[in-house]
Amino acid sequence: MTQINKYPKLHNATWPGIVGKGPDSEPVISLDQMLEMTAAAEVDGVKFDGVDVGLFDPHFDINSGKEGAKRLADKVAAHGLEIGSLVAPIWGGPAIGSKADQDTFVDMVKKSCEIGQTLREMGIRPNGIVRIDSASGVSDWAKDPVGNSKKIVETFQRACDVAADYGERLAAEGEICWGGMHSWRHMVATLEAVDRKNIGFQADMSHTLLYTMGYNSPEDRILPEGYDWSDREVLKDALRKITAALRPWTIDFHVAQNDGTVHGTGSHDKTGRHCQATDPNGKLSVAEDAGFWLRDEKGELTKAFKHICWDGCMFSNEVMLQQKTWNDILATMIKVRNAHGWS
């Protein structure tokens, strides 16, 4: 496979070793293993450029400060990789919770931004954001949509103000399992209400496909009921509508595949079913459909971020521990960059 472009850089995510794993599911896959498999992936001489990292146990101790950041940097650098976007461990402090919950949320963002700033200063993190979500379930949010949306906005505003002190941007990942972010309309409304220069959207192709289907928000459905997945033109029209609304906000991007169903594993609530890159049940034409996010309505490259990341949460360990899985993923990432990248 010929490599045409140098940008955006290609990253793998480390958190699929944790998400959906644990005591009520399969064993966690260690950070060391995730880094080893990422570094070993290769397609015609092309390798991953870096990793995006979840700053949560057991991969990382958020309270380890600058020393923890240095240990993380050394570990990643030993594999010839760089670090990009970070995930703040905000789930102990739901944004619609008590004042103490909201304080916990903001404190986790602050600690994550301190880590991010340290990694930037060390030179191993040339770009990337800090990812957040509302850490609040849709059913809890629905008990008081107006009041809870106001709480989410206020919590995000506080988090943005803290992040600004560290020169960091926050990206809210639209996922159907997070209240106030569970549909494309709610996501746009939340971002607009936060009204901070350093907040944006993290688009994940798997999760945003479910936006078009109206999961958890039927009134915002775009694809018709009983949609025939063989009709690509209808799907592309739906993706155009979603991306027209959210692309202007998008500052981080996950390449992913989805089979049009929801899925949850272990303690992780139901969300988009990330499929393997080569899954025959995948509903997306990944390389083509990534273009709706990476190019504007005129077809011009946005160049809104300098790296893209593969997200494949909740694969079984049997799948994740096969090197072929990561080679197939890398091959898909190269196709996306060849189609929508630059040099």
Side-chain angles (χ1 to χ4, degrees), residues 153 174 180-195 201 211 241-249:
V153 168
M181 307 170 63
H182 57 287
S183 85
W184 62 279
R185 288 189 196 275
H186 287 299
M187 189 71 256
V188 171
T190 295
L191 291 166
E192 288 178 344
V194 173
D195 192 27
F201 181 63
Y211 274 178
K241 185 168 185 176
I242 289 283
T243 53
L246 285 165
R247 189 195 309 110
W249 292 96

Side-chain angles (χ1 to χ4, degrees), residues 1-161:
M1 182 181 293
T2 304
Q3 180 177 216
I4 299 173
N5 298 309
K6 294 184 178 179
Y7 289 95
K9 296 298 185 182
L10 307 181
H11 284 206
N12 194 18
T14 60
W15 57 82
I18 302 176
V19 176
K21 310 296 180 185
D24 52 354
S25 182
E26 295 185 298
V28 165
I29 298 175
S30 71
L31 177 61
D32 288 333
Q33 283 179 292
M34 294 299 297
L35 291 174
E36 287 167 9
M37 291 184 294
T38 300
E42 184 170 348
V43 178
D44 296 334
V46 180
K47 300 175 73 70
F48 279 107
D49 300 297
V51 287
D52 287 6
V53 179
L55 299 178
F56 38 92
D57 292 332
H59 281 188
F60 185 82
D61 177 6
I62 191 62
N63 294 308
S64 59
K66 293 186 177 182
E67 285 303 311
K70 185 179 186 306
R71 288 193 295 272
L72 174 64
D74 290 345
K75 185 171 285 196
V76 174
H79 291 281
L81 300 166
E82 65 184 26
I83 297 172
S85 298
L86 307 173
V87 182
I90 37 73
W91 305 286
I96 66 172
S98 64
K99 174 66 162 56
D101 289 331
Q102 293 168 327
D103 289 347
T104 296
F105 184 108
V106 175
D107 187 49
M108 291 298 104
V109 171
K110 179 180 180 180
K111 289 176 178 178
S112 299
C113 290
E114 179 183 15
I115 299 297
Q117 182 185 53
T118 301
L119 294 171
R120 287 202 323 271
E121 291 170 349
M122 294 178 65
I124 196 169
R125 183 173 172 252
N127 53 73
I129 50 80
V130 173
R131 176 209 174 275
I132 60 170
D133 55 59
S134 67
S136 307
V138 179
S139 58
D140 289 331
W141 170 87
K143 294 172 184 174
D144 179 12
V146 174
N148 286 328
S149 289
K150 186 169 183 274
K151 281 186 173 183
I152 291 169
V153 168
E154 290 170 349
T155 306
F156 281 13
Q157 287 174 331
R158 288 179 59 196
C160 284
D161 294 343

Side-chain angles (χ1 to χ4, degrees), residues 161-238:
D161 294 343
V162 166
D165 293 338
Y166 294 89
E168 289 288 341
R169 296 183 299 165
L170 304 183
E173 183 178 24
E175 240 184 292
I176 61 166
C177 62
W178 302 124
M181 307 170 63
H182 57 287
S183 85
W184 62 279
R185 288 189 196 275
H186 287 299
M187 189 71 256
V188 171
T190 295
L191 291 166
E192 288 178 344
V194 173
D195 192 27
R196 291 292 192 272
K197 291 181 178 179
N198 64 329
I199 195 168
F201 181 63
Q202 183 188 73
D204 178 298
M205 294 177 69
S206 176
H207 300 316
T208 52
L209 177 66
L210 295 190
Y211 274 178
T212 69
M213 302 173 70
Y215 270 107
N216 284 342
S217 187
E219 64 274 17
D220 294 330
R221 183 184 184 111
I222 299 175
L223 287 174
E225 292 278 358
Y227 164 65
D228 179 0
W229 288 99
S230 66
D231 190 342
R232 280 278 299 163
E233 291 309 309
V234 173
L235 176 58
K236 287 196 283 188
D237 283 344

Side-chain angles (χ1 to χ4, degrees), residues 291-339:
F292 291 111
W293 295 99
L294 300 175
R295 295 179 182 272
D296 64 20
E297 64 280 356
K298 296 178 181 177
E300 299 295 323
L301 294 173
T302 67
K303 300 183 182 179
F305 28 83
K306 292 185 178 179
H307 83 276
I308 55 178
C309 181
W310 172 267
D311 192 350
C313 287
M314 296 184 283
F315 289 178
S316 70
N317 284 3
E318 181 184 5
V319 168
M320 289 187 64
L321 294 174
Q322 293 180 30
Q323 189 61 49
K324 180 180 184 299
T325 298
W326 306 103
N327 290 351
D328 289 344
I329 286 166
L330 178 58
T332 299
M333 298 284 282
I334 294 169
K335 289 177 183 175
V336 171
R337 180 163 68 183
N338 282 350

